[in-house]
Amino acid sequence: MHILVTGANGLVGRALCPALIASGHDVIAAVRSAHSLDPTIQFRKIANIGPETSWESALEGIDVVVHLAGRAHILQDEAANPLAVYRRINVEGSRRLVEQAIKAGIKRFVFLSSIKVNGESSRPYREKDVPAPNDPYGISKLEAEVTLREMVSAASMELVILRPPLVYGPGVKGNFLKLLRLCELGLPLPLSGIHNQRSLIGVDNLASAICCCLTHPKAAGEIFLVSDGEDISTAELIIKISEKMGKRIYMLPVPPVLLGFVLKLFGRMDLARRILSSLTLSNTHIHDTLHWRPPNSLDAGLSKTVHWYQEQERAE
């Protein structure tokens, strides 16, 4: 198949494109700049994603689209109206792409959403749960899902939606990169009293799930929650990463209530939620429907991520 991948030079795209090529597909990356793109991958340049973006030339000769590009979740968003910015890119930008993909006769469209659509809850999420996003990013992703489902309902193009939790792997940025840097310092951390559970997904596992959704006939019209299938507490995650770095980490027994209170005083409730609360999901639906299982363990994914991080540090 001829597959167009948006966001091909992002974290997920850099893992997905080689996986698709290895499976025998022709991959074309839709990117604003090919600067950080693997030089062996074909690309077609596009403008910034939004409601006016022209996709006609990028969609020529394409069978399937994987839409990874979008405005990612930002903890401390400095935009005057974050929801409006998220909507312009994640909702209206996606609407524009799907509109032109339908006209171009694209057979299947895979949309990378987020578990933030479901919200923040301690119970394991499943696809049948009523969405309850509680931040601008999650709201925009839900609105994009609803918009795209409405658009394809009267078209012949098939839509598949995936909702991953936090994605990690070589090239990771944001909060997970900050966590790697924190572990490298080896400082005592007040986390031994935290017994939460978080679902994660390694970028190679997510690429595998996307590859499966591209070709499996039963994926059409479905929403899938995907993860590594191994939930872990914040404290356990830090200990695992530190061990792989060869660092000894000390955990101090600070009550979670006190830690949450301190973070709240400093205006870091979102950080407190990520450190202290649980957010888990079930892979049951994608396993039962597509017979997909994550090919790599959490431990293997963390080892690969730490190796990349240390190689980057040595290079600098």
Side-chain angles (χ1 to χ4, degrees):
M1 288 194 302
H2 297 280
I3 302 172
L4 183 74
V5 179
T6 75
N9 48 10
L11 173 63
V12 180
R14 287 196 299 271
L16 176 62
C17 290
L20 291 173
I21 292 170
S23 298
H25 299 295
D26 291 320
V27 175
I28 295 91
V31 293
R32 288 176 296 176
S33 169
H35 176 69
S36 59
L37 190 68
D38 185 325
T40 64
I41 297 174
Q42 304 175 62
F43 68 91
R44 296 174 184 174
K45 285 192 176 183
I46 57 162
N48 291 337
I49 295 176
E52 299 90 18
T53 308
S54 174
W55 294 93
E56 284 94 341
S57 60
L59 290 166
E60 287 181 8
I62 298 297
D63 300 308
V64 177
V65 173
V66 182
H67 187 33
L68 307 177
R71 190 170 196 256
H73 182 242
I74 301 172
L75 269 181
Q76 294 177 295
D77 201 326
E78 297 180 357
N81 187 344
L83 182 55
V85 181
Y86 278 120
R87 279 174 169 158
R88 177 177 175 80
I89 300 170
N90 295 346
V91 182
E92 297 307 318
S94 300
R95 182 204 300 272
R96 176 72 167 176
L97 174 54
V98 166
E99 178 182 68
Q100 296 190 5
I102 291 171
K103 289 181 180 178
I106 301 301
K107 299 172 184 176
R108 182 171 290 191
F109 190 101
V110 177
F111 177 64
L112 189 66
S113 187
S114 168
I115 196 62
K116 297 289 285 185
V117 165
N118 289 83
E120 293 277 350
S121 173
S122 59
R123 63 188 177 85
Y125 283 122
R126 295 178 181 272
E127 288 80 359
K128 66 181 179 180
D129 293 329
V130 177
N134 58 8
D135 63 16
Y137 173 72
I139 292 169
S140 74
K141 282 294 191 178
L142 175 59
E143 290 180 353
E145 286 188 16
V146 171
T147 297
L148 302 194
R149 286 169 70 87
E150 288 176 350
M151 293 178 72
V152 302
S153 64
S156 59
M157 187 174 76
E158 300 169 343
L159 175 67
V160 188
I161 296 171
L162 292 103
R163 295 180 190 163
L166 179 65
V167 183
Y168 67 93
V172 70
K173 297 179 181 179
N175 293 320
F176 205 93
L177 181 58
K178 291 178 182 177
L179 183 62
L180 292 170
R181 289 170 176 162
L182 179 65
C183 292
E184 186 181 35
L185 293 174
L187 299 174
L189 298 172
L191 303 176
S192 69
I194 297 175
H195 304 291
N196 64 338
Q197 291 286 287
R198 307 287 293 191
S199 292
L200 309 172
I201 187 164
V203 69
D204 291 332
N205 283 341
L206 181 53
S208 169
I210 294 171
C211 288
C212 183
C213 289
L214 280 170
T215 58
H216 201 295
K218 291 186 178 180
E222 295 288 345
I223 296 175
F224 296 114
L225 276 57
V226 289
S227 76
D228 285 338
E230 304 173 60
D231 300 333
I232 190 170
S233 71
T234 304
E236 290 170 334
L237 178 60
I238 290 173
I239 290 170
K240 275 184 174 290
I241 292 173
S242 299
E243 288 175 348
K244 294 179 186 304
M245 288 183 170
K247 302 284 184 178
R248 186 174 180 181
I249 198 81
Y250 297 92
M251 293 287 183
L252 304 178
V254 177
V257 173
L258 177 58
L259 181 58
F261 177 74
V262 172
L263 289 171
K264 183 179 180 180
L265 284 179
F266 284 92
R268 301 304 304 273
M269 278 306 297
D270 194 72
L271 179 59
R273 201 159 45 237
R274 286 174 173 269
I275 292 175
L276 303 173
S277 66
S278 295
L279 196 163
T280 61
L281 58 88
S282 169
N283 279 337
T284 301
H285 182 48
I286 191 168
H287 173 250
D288 290 349
T289 307
L290 310 185
H291 304 293
W292 178 84
R293 289 187 183 274
N296 304 298
S297 67
L298 171 66
D299 193 68
L302 291 177
S303 293
K304 189 173 181 179
T305 306
V306 169
H307 176 74
W308 161 82
Y309 175 77
Q310 292 179 324
E311 287 296 307
Q312 292 292 114
E313 290 297 298
R314 292 189 190 103
E316 293 177 1

